[in-house]
Amino acid sequence: MLNPINTDVVIRDGRVAGTFPGEIHEGVAWWVASCFVVTIKTRQLAVAHDGHPTTAEFHRRFCRGAINANHFACQISDLGAADEAQLLRAMKDLGDTPGALLTTTEDEDRQLVTIRLYDAQGQQVADETGLAAIRDMIAADRVPIPVNDQARGRIIDRRDLAGEA
């Protein structure tokens, strides 16, 4: 695994979070997204971010990881900058679609990047509902990769959904 992380520190308490740079890097977003799609076996996902400059690359990598998860051909509804309430509303409007929210908070000279995953009912994914499986896949370097180009999903701009919430 290139740039390994301490999965027990970064993936816990119902979220993926770590200081950047240091505990977490942009590649983690790809890994988490790919593992999430495969773990919950979804073909659709709503993704939002907080608009913070650091979050931008994590968001891009998350979307790319989700569309490249094995044979799922996952369609990403990219909401752009949105808060949790807007994400949850869009997930519902998309037909109870799972989702993810990426954020960055700053505290003095450090940044904390957080990825929160939500199931189709809008509940945060916890250890017992998939987070432990994702952590184990990443720790064992078993991040899913695409099987072929036809299995690749796509990213659709759905900022219109975030604005309606």
Side-chain angles (χ1 to χ4, degrees):
M1 173 188 306
L2 294 175
N3 298 320
I5 60 166
N6 183 337
T7 53
D8 292 330
V9 169
V10 173
I11 306 172
R12 62 183 172 83
D13 301 331
R15 63 191 180 144
V16 178
T19 56
F20 174 78
E23 292 176 326
I24 196 169
H25 56 81
E26 297 94 335
V28 174
W30 175 293
W31 303 343
V32 169
S34 183
C35 292
F36 184 45
V37 167
V38 170
T39 298
I40 63 172
K41 298 174 175 48
T42 190
R43 295 193 182 278
Q44 186 168 320
L45 197 61
V47 181
H49 62 87
D50 63 357
H52 190 282
T54 298
T55 312
E57 183 62 14
F58 281 85
H59 171 257
R60 188 184 77 75
R61 298 266 190 109
F62 187 93
C63 291
R64 299 292 302 162
I67 67 169
N68 283 293
N70 275 359
H71 62 277
F72 285 91
C74 189
Q75 177 178 298
I76 305 305
S77 294
D78 183 358
L79 307 178
D83 62 22
E84 184 181 45
Q86 292 170 311
L87 170 65
L88 294 174
R89 173 65 186 242
M91 289 166 51
K92 187 81 170 153
D93 290 349
L94 289 166
D96 296 324
T97 297
L101 179 62
L102 291 81
T103 61
T104 300
T105 55
E106 295 190 45
D107 181 19
E108 295 178 19
D109 63 343
R110 72 179 208 141
Q111 296 180 342
L112 179 69
V113 175
T114 303
I115 302 170
R116 288 186 174 81
L117 306 172
Y118 300 86
D119 66 18
Q121 290 72 45
Q123 299 300 308
Q124 269 193 249
V125 175
D127 270 359
E128 55 279 354
T129 58
L131 203 58
I134 293 168
R135 181 177 48 249
D136 292 346
M137 290 171 76
I138 293 171
D141 198 15
R142 292 190 337 255
V143 175
I145 58 173
V147 292
N148 58 46
D149 283 341
Q150 291 75 31
R152 191 167 316 223
R154 61 191 177 125
I155 301 167
I156 300 171
D157 184 332
R158 291 306 312 262
R159 286 179 282 184
D160 60 308
L161 288 175
E164 294 173 4

